[in-house]
Amino acid sequence: MKRRAFTLVELLVVIAIIGVLVGLLLPAVQAAREAARRMSCSNNFKQLGLAMHNYHSAYDRLPSNGTGTGIESSGLVNQRRLGAMAGFLPFFEQQAIWEQLSNPHQPEAGETPAQPTILTANGSWPAFGPRVWEDLDIYDPWQTEIPTLRCPSDPGTLPTGNGMTNYAFCHGDAILRVGYNSTNAFLDRGAFRGMFRPQVAGRFRDVLDGLANTVAMGEIATDLGDRQINGSVVNKSHLGNSAALGTSGKLCLDVADPQRPQFVDDSVPLWNTGGASRGARWFDSFLMINGFTTVLPPNSPTCPLDWGVAWQSGIYSAGSRHQGGAHILMADGSVTFITDSIEAGNTEADSISKNYNNVGQQSPYGVWGALGTQAAKETVSLP
């Protein structure tokens, strides 16, 4: 009696068929996983939208993206660099972190704060903590990674282990002086056209263009160390102290590698200190870290200037690790996905600024720019 068995040829054919099926299935599995991550990312944003509205209901205002204790010249406490996200904490179920942050907090054994002079009489950090760039590896609120603030599609991490974010605040469509604080002698009030600004609280009543037509927050991509356009920050030394970027956004677009447009050219210096990169500190109001402007479309470069007050002028772009665009939170609490191809007007236009006598005019950056302004009286439709 003959033994019934597969021949070698039959086994090879079966293995080949299985290999083909696996090859066909894996992309579908990866696509399904990314779809789930993207949905989770959108849900996080909806939670932040609810937190924003609940905060406004409670206080009849929005938190400024730049608040806290101390004054700019004192060198003490946090110098009003605390981001708006801190105010939202109790409103998206992070009451425990809010309690830690808003009360004196005792260092653990062996922890030495960078500024011992700010400690209270019993050796605690004061309420609202140290300056936001200090004690990143020991102050517990700074160390806390909040899942709601991280998009699952972005794998970025930091060696300091402090909490990061993928959700930033919209500062409007200006380039020059857009990050200046309220005490700066060279402040340009006409440049503050977004819903958030340093040290000044906004209100929904200020949004004359309509809550449904105004961007409140947007996704940002963190730095993965691979020079990708959407997560990298061009060092302020590249464009230096020239205000030319205010009349030519193309200067920022030109940092892309001609052979690999999704990456910054190797000749362009980057700011990659980790703890001061895009999204590196959820608690920091610094525009380079936790803000964006609607000058260039999502997933464009971020190019700060050394002009005036360093890092407070420039182009700060939204971005994400999703394919083709980024999530945006509108002022009415809705979340939409804006593609990289959104109409963004004239990149060679003069920035809205007292320098160019165009304060109060409609955004020169098309639909994208108009969505970033809260009271420029533009009538736009979401793409």
Side-chain angles (χ1 to χ4, degrees):
M1 181 177 178
K2 290 184 178 181
R3 295 181 61 187
R4 301 182 61 85
F6 290 109
T7 66
L8 179 60
V9 172
E10 290 171 331
L11 285 172
L12 292 174
V13 170
V14 170
I15 291 171
I17 292 174
I18 292 174
V20 171
L21 291 176
V22 169
L24 293 173
L25 183 62
L26 281 177
V29 172
Q30 293 296 331
R33 287 177 176 172
E34 171 52 25
R37 289 192 289 262
R38 180 169 159 175
M39 183 177 295
S40 177
C41 192
S42 174
N43 287 336
N44 287 345
F45 234 165
K46 290 177 182 177
Q47 293 300 314
L48 294 177
L50 289 172
M52 177 178 67
H53 276 259
N54 288 334
Y55 184 101
H56 194 279
S57 294
Y59 300 110
D60 194 30
R61 67 187 63 204
L62 296 168
S64 62
N65 195 33
T67 185
T69 53
I71 58 175
E72 188 70 21
S73 60
S74 70
L76 301 177
V77 202
N78 60 34
Q79 293 184 309
R80 297 182 184 174
R81 271 279 296 274
L82 198 62
M85 199 68 76
F88 287 167
L89 288 173
F91 297 95
F92 64 97
E93 300 182 350
Q94 297 298 329
Q95 184 70 30
I97 303 174
W98 170 254
E99 293 292 340
Q100 282 187 338
L101 178 62
S102 60
N103 290 288
H105 189 68
Q106 185 76 37
E108 297 176 9
E111 294 181 344
T112 304
Q115 296 286 331
T117 56
I118 73 169
L119 299 181
T120 63
N122 68 350
S124 297
W125 280 288
F128 299 105
R131 294 182 290 191
V132 295
W133 60 90
E134 294 177 340
D135 301 336
L136 296 178
D137 57 346
I138 58 175
Y139 183 58
D140 287 345
W142 293 175
Q143 281 277 291
T144 304
E145 181 86 303
I146 304 174
T148 304
L149 301 184
R150 294 305 309 275
C151 178
S153 298
D154 192 310
T157 58
L158 290 173
T160 53
N162 57 271
M164 303 174 70
T165 184
N166 290 109
Y167 307 109
F169 296 92
C170 181
H171 283 242
D173 67 337
I175 296 175
L176 302 182
R177 305 185 185 89
V178 69
Y180 278 27
N181 66 55
S182 59
T183 61
N184 191 289
F186 299 97
L187 184 73
D188 183 357
R189 296 187 184 279
F192 297 108
R193 291 154 59 93
M195 283 195 62
F196 292 89
R197 59 175 289 191
Q199 302 175 3
V200 176
R203 291 177 170 85
F204 285 155
R205 70 183 186 189
D206 301 329
V207 187
L208 304 183
D209 292 347
L211 297 180
N213 299 320
T214 304
V215 172
M217 298 179 67
E219 266 192 278
I220 54 174
T222 65
D223 184 10
L224 302 183
D226 55 4
R227 300 184 69 88
Q228 283 195 55
I229 285 284
N230 57 2
S232 299
V233 175
V234 174
N235 197 296
K236 61 184 175 64
S237 64
H238 179 66
L239 295 174
N241 61 4
S242 170
L245 187 65
T247 60
S248 178
K250 186 176 181 297
L251 292 174
C252 188
L253 292 174
D254 287 345
V255 304
D257 187 332
Q259 304 302 318
R260 300 190 306 160
Q262 299 305 312
F263 293 82
V264 179
D265 191 87
D266 289 341
S267 65
V268 176
L270 298 181
W271 182 258
N272 51 10
T273 62
S277 55
R278 290 297 263 165
R281 302 193 285 253
W282 64 260
F283 42 85
D284 196 337
S285 66
F286 210 28
L287 191 56
M288 180 183 73
I289 296 174
N290 203 10
F292 76 101
T293 53
T294 56
V295 176
L296 297 179
N299 292 315
S300 295
T302 287
C303 303
L305 290 177
D306 201 14
W307 177 84
V309 180
W311 306 105
Q312 300 304 319
S313 297
I315 293 175
Y316 301 86
S317 298
S320 78
R321 299 296 172 189
H322 310 303
Q323 185 68 33
H327 288 108
I328 298 298
L329 175 69
M330 306 305 290
D332 66 352
S334 62
V335 177
T336 188
F337 191 80
I338 300 293
T339 65
D340 301 346
S341 59
I342 186 172
E343 196 272 313
N346 179 15
T347 58
E348 297 293 311
D350 291 343
S351 171
I352 300 297
S353 169
K354 62 184 181 182
N355 288 45
Y356 310 118
N357 298 313
N358 58 2
V359 170
Q361 294 185 12
Q362 293 187 353
S363 177
Y365 306 117
V367 173
W368 181 231
L371 289 172
T373 65
Q374 65 175 358
K377 298 185 178 179
E378 300 114 329
T379 303
V380 296
S381 299
L382 285 172

